[in-house]
């Protein structure tokens, strides 16, 4: 997330920025380039709603250049479905030429042979692919479109075929919910079969409602019967780093209690800050700027790149207010987030408590 090499080399500068609520560098930027989607996933509203047109391709390219000048190391794009925008390879090529690592989160169902080849040759460095079950019928039930499993599998094969042309990492993202958790034991085998480099189990978000949320008995069954099998096989295949990665709802009683409530940070941010406001940003499809995905629905936009330069937003009063409020305990939405805990722990140890 945070380009640890940069922060290590500039440790004192980073620490002073944190202590004084000043901006540091937007090292890692997420850009949701499109709102709509071609699938109809049960845990998502992107296909159910119509929103305003996205930021123009020309403005997006200007922002990519501006971010590079400010020290950005990684631009991660997603949506909705980003491949609904035809200019994605051009964005990748520009960002790569300016020294940025450029991954993408996608269903890949719209990716054909020439597009996959073009993306890899343009410099795509990571593709995070959504697969919700190793069982075709279950995946398509969740995704809401018949044939989605086959389309995804074929696209992963295409990326694997052109992988040698660049340093491309393929990861499988799986949202774990009441619908699919019992089918996930063989997920590592599917990922290995497809040629993926890793799997990422994502706990279903609490905004998805009671139908999808994991009950206490569901988490207990998952932790006792499914997660250990995932952990053993995924570690054997090199798809996860630690067996903890197979337990997104926590392991001990206190963690599971918090996980059941959707507090996937397991209390970490009650005594520690999240350093995202100093090194991370999210730019939405309509140009609105937020600290991250978790604050997107809870905190008003900090600015907009259509009306202002990104630098003006990054250094503006609204961003400063968020930085001031991030000192422990962190913002309320942070309690639901498990994205950056390991990175935040490492930075906490490096710059020291304050």
């Amino acid at each position: 997330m945070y380009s640890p090499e940069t922060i290590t080399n500039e440790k004192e500068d980073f620490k002073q920025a944190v202590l004084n609520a000043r901006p540091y560098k937007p090292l890692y930027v997420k850009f949701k380039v499109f709102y709509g989607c071609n699938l109809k996933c049960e845990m998502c509203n992107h296909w159910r709603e119509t929103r305003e047109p996205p930021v123009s391709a020309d403005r997006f390219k200007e922002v990519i250049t501006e971010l590079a000048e400010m020290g950005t190391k990684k631009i991660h794009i997603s949506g909705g479905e980003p491949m609904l925008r035809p200019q994605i390879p051009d964005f990748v090529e520009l960002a790569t030429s300016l020294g940025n690592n450029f991954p993408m989160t996608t269903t890949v169902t719209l990716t054909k042979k020439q597009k996959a080849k073009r993306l890899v040759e343009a410099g795509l460095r990571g593709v995070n692919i959504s697969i919700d079950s190793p069982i075709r019928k279950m995946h398509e039930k969740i995704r809401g479109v018949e044939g989605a499993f086959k389309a995804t599998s074929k696209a992963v094969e295409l990326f694997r075929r052109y992988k040698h042309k660049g340093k491309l990492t393929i990861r499988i993202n799986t949202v774990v919910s009441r619908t699919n958790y019992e089918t996930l034991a063989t997920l590592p085998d599917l990922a290995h079969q497809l040629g993926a480099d890793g799997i990422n189990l994502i706990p279903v978000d609490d905004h998805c409602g009671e139908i999808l949320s994991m009950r206490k008995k569901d988490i207990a069954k998952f932790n006792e019967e499914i997660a250990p099998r995932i952990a053993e096989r995924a570690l054997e295949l090199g798809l996860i780093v630690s067996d903890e990665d197979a337990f997104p709802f926590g392991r001990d009683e206190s963690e599971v209690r918090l996980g059941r409530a959707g507090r996937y940070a397991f209390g970490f941010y009650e005594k520690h800050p999240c350093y995202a406001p100093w090194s991370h940003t999210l730019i939405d499809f309509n140009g609105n700027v937020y600290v991250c995905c978790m604050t997107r629905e809870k905190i008003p936009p900090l600015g907009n790149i259509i009306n202002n330069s990104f630098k003006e937003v990054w250094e503006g009063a609204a961003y400063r207010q968020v930085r001031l409020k991030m000192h422990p305990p962190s913002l309320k939405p942070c309690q639901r987030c498990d994205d950056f805990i390991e990175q935040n722990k490492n930075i906490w140890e490096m710059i020291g408590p304050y």
Side-chain angles (χ1 to χ4, degrees):
M1 167 190 175
Y2 296 117
S3 184
E5 299 85 3
T6 301
I7 293 178
T8 299
N9 294 334
E10 301 176 3
K11 181 171 67 175
E12 191 57 34
D13 290 344
F14 184 84
K15 183 174 183 177
Q16 289 305 311
V18 171
L19 290 174
N20 294 284
R22 296 197 306 260
Y24 176 63
K25 298 176 182 178
L27 296 174
Y28 178 18
V29 176
K30 287 185 179 180
F31 205 124
K32 291 184 173 291
V33 296
F34 198 77
Y35 188 82
C37 187
N38 60 305
L39 299 186
K40 298 179 178 181
C41 303
E42 64 178 12
M43 63 285 195
C44 183
N45 290 323
H46 283 275
W47 60 276
R48 295 184 174 98
E49 302 171 349
T50 300
R51 298 291 182 93
E52 63 267 37
V55 174
S56 71
D58 287 342
R59 180 61 185 136
F60 184 51
K61 291 177 181 178
E62 292 173 353
V63 173
I64 290 175
T65 302
E66 184 181 4
L67 290 170
E69 292 170 351
M70 293 177 66
T72 299
K73 302 295 183 183
K74 179 178 180 179
I75 296 177
H76 183 157
I77 65 167
S78 66
E81 175 48 59
M83 294 301 288
L84 285 168
R85 295 202 71 167
Q87 308 93 350
I88 296 299
D90 298 331
F91 298 159
V92 176
E93 192 167 56
L94 174 60
T96 302
S97 72
L98 295 172
N100 270 289
N101 181 333
F102 199 107
M104 173 174 62
T105 295
T106 170
T107 68
V108 298
T109 52
L110 298 175
T111 305
K112 306 302 181 184
K113 180 179 178 180
Q114 290 304 314
K115 182 61 70 70
K117 182 180 179 183
R118 172 84 172 90
L119 283 165
V120 176
E121 291 178 341
L124 187 68
R125 289 295 173 261
V127 56
N128 302 325
I129 297 167
S130 302
I131 297 181
D132 293 308
S133 175
I135 298 173
R136 177 186 64 81
K137 287 185 178 180
M138 176 58 71
H139 173 78
E140 292 182 357
K141 176 182 184 296
I142 293 171
R143 292 283 149 178
V145 173
E146 187 176 348
F149 189 86
K150 183 178 180 180
T152 297
S153 300
K154 288 179 67 175
V156 176
E157 168 59 30
L158 288 174
F159 278 114
R160 186 174 65 177
R161 182 185 308 174
Y162 297 116
K163 200 174 176 182
H164 68 281
K165 297 180 180 295
K167 299 177 181 178
L168 181 69
T169 298
I170 300 173
R171 292 181 61 83
I172 304 299
N173 282 349
T174 302
V175 176
V176 183
S177 73
R178 193 188 308 182
T179 302
N180 67 346
Y181 79 90
E182 294 178 289
T183 73
L184 299 180
T186 59
L187 180 67
D189 295 287
L190 174 68
H192 181 66
Q193 176 187 333
L194 292 175
D197 300 291
I199 60 174
N200 181 30
L201 300 180
I202 303 169
V204 65
D205 206 343
D206 58 7
H207 76 262
C208 297
E210 285 300 316
I211 294 176
L212 299 180
S213 63
M214 296 281 278
R215 297 162 296 190
K216 183 178 180 179
K217 67 177 184 179
D218 298 318
I219 295 175
K221 185 174 183 179
F222 179 77
N223 282 0
E224 292 169 10
E225 301 179 17
I226 312 297
R229 294 174 62 186
I230 295 174
E232 181 180 8
R233 187 62 172 147
L235 284 169
E236 179 184 342
L237 296 172
L239 297 170
I240 59 176
V241 176
S242 165
D243 62 353
E244 297 290 334
D245 297 332
F247 293 83
F249 301 98
R251 299 187 75 166
D252 63 35
E253 185 178 343
S254 62
E255 287 185 346
V256 169
R257 186 176 65 254
L258 292 169
R260 174 69 185 90
R263 299 180 63 184
Y264 301 123
F266 304 132
F268 178 77
Y269 294 118
E270 293 175 4
K271 297 182 179 180
H272 303 85
C274 176
Y275 298 103
W278 289 271
S279 57
H280 180 273
T281 202
L282 167 71
I283 302 175
D284 214 344
F285 72 98
N286 53 12
N288 285 336
V289 178
Y290 303 88
V291 173
C292 60
C293 294
M294 281 297 175
T295 62
R296 184 170 168 234
E297 297 178 0
K298 304 295 182 181
I299 296 175
L302 306 178
N304 189 290
I305 60 164
I306 296 176
N307 305 321
N308 301 96
S309 69
F310 177 78
K311 190 172 189 291
E312 288 173 322
V313 178
W314 182 249
E315 297 178 352
Y319 233 119
R320 176 173 170 76
Q321 285 303 308
V322 171
R323 295 183 185 111
L324 286 168
K325 294 176 181 177
M326 187 56 74
H327 299 281
S330 298
L331 301 174
K332 188 174 181 180
C334 299
Q335 309 301 328
R336 297 168 47 227
C337 181
D338 63 344
D339 278 353
F340 306 132
I341 289 180
E342 289 306 313
Q343 295 94 326
N344 281 322
K345 285 179 179 178
N346 292 337
I347 295 174
W348 176 262
E349 293 176 1
M350 180 173 59
I351 69 174
Y354 56 87

